[in-house]
Amino acid sequence: NGAVTYTMVLTDVAGNVTTTSSASALTVDNTAPVVSAVTSTLADGSYKVAQVVPVTVTFSEAVTVTGTPRLTLATGASATTAVSYASGSGSTVLVFSYTVANGDTAADLDYAATTSLALNSGTIADGAGNSATLTLASPGATGSLGNAKALVIDTTAPVASAVTFLDGSATGPFKSGTSVTMSVTSGESLSVAPVVTFSGAGTPVVTLTGSGTSWTGTVANLTGNGAVTYTMVLTDVAGNVTTTSSASA
């Protein structure tokens, strides 16, 4: 490997002689490009179905790509998703494009294994024709996608694991004008408070406050007689939305 220089002696027909030297004539490159880092340009956060996640693979030198290499991501307890090369040939950074699909899940998105980068009948090589070494850092280790980013893949709609109405410790029925506390526990963290719409018995209203999975509020305008039903909208931090309705609250 390295630069090759030369010294050259020229003699013309009159016998004049010149000796010239080059600083560098040509370069011999037998070193294969290697992967130095895998990351994403997408901001850390939680993402749902249809989100496009660009995954970037950086090499030690510029590489040229032919065909459609693939990078296999871990997108479930035992599930994987092979995502295709999108752009970057001729540079040191190749981009692979992952679109989140229904059923995908990852607490911290990463590729599946050190062997997850595959040629898929294509090529990745440097300008001298040296084929790239495709071995990746261990998932979660320095240089991996999971270590560089905190990307949560969440395609599951949130659910309310518990909904209660209490006047102190009493569970009802309730008299008109009673101060009733509504409590909602969700199965995962919510990005905003649950939105509750009541029907019946004076059309009660409630504004829930809290954070994460725990939300409470006082039901107002509880008048009249009869059953009260509600519709509740839950939105998780990835943007998944669930609307549930009660037969009787």
Side-chain angles (χ1 to χ4, degrees):
N1 287 289
V4 176
T5 62
Y6 66 84
T7 299
M8 180 167 55
V9 179
L10 305 175
T11 305
D12 66 17
V13 294
N16 299 300
V17 178
T18 301
T19 301
T20 61
S21 298
S22 72
S24 178
L26 55 88
T27 301
V28 177
D29 178 5
N30 291 311
T31 302
V34 296
V35 176
S36 58
V38 181
T39 186
S40 176
T41 54
L42 191 64
D44 291 345
S46 297
Y47 296 97
K48 61 179 182 177
V49 171
Q51 175 67 50
V52 177
V53 181
V55 179
T56 60
V57 178
T58 300
F59 285 85
S60 55
E61 60 179 303
V63 293
T64 299
V65 178
T66 66
T68 311
R70 289 180 176 175
L71 179 66
T72 300
L73 302 179
T75 53
S78 59
T80 59
T81 300
V83 299
S84 296
Y85 160 77
S87 63
S89 183
S91 73
T92 59
V93 180
L94 303 184
V95 180
F96 293 76
S97 184
Y98 163 50
T99 301
V100 179
N102 190 39
D104 288 356
T105 181
D108 186 6
L109 183 65
D110 209 340
Y111 44 78
T114 59
T115 55
S116 288
L117 180 57
L119 294 176
N120 188 35
S121 299
T123 64
I124 302 175
D126 66 14
N130 297 301
S131 296
T133 298
L134 305 182
T135 304
L136 305 174
S138 296
T142 300
S144 70
L145 174 61
N147 180 268
K149 302 295 295 183
L151 302 174
V152 178
I153 305 303
D154 178 6
T155 60
T156 303
V159 296
S161 56
V163 178
T164 62
F165 294 89
L166 293 174
D167 174 13
S169 60
T171 58
F174 306 108
K175 291 183 178 181
S176 295
T178 300
S179 179
V180 175
T181 298
M182 180 181 186
S183 298
V184 176
T185 301
S186 57
E188 60 179 298
S189 292
L190 304 180
S191 60
V192 295
V195 178
V196 181
T197 303
F198 288 103
S199 297
T203 313
V205 295
V206 65
T207 299
L208 298 177
T209 60
S211 63
T213 61
S214 182
W215 306 84
T216 61
T218 300
V219 180
N221 198 31
L222 188 61
T223 61
N225 290 285
V228 176
T229 61
Y230 66 84
T231 298
M232 181 166 55
V233 179
L234 305 176
T235 305
D236 67 17
V237 293
N240 299 300
V241 178
T242 299
T243 300
T244 61
S245 298
S246 73
S248 178

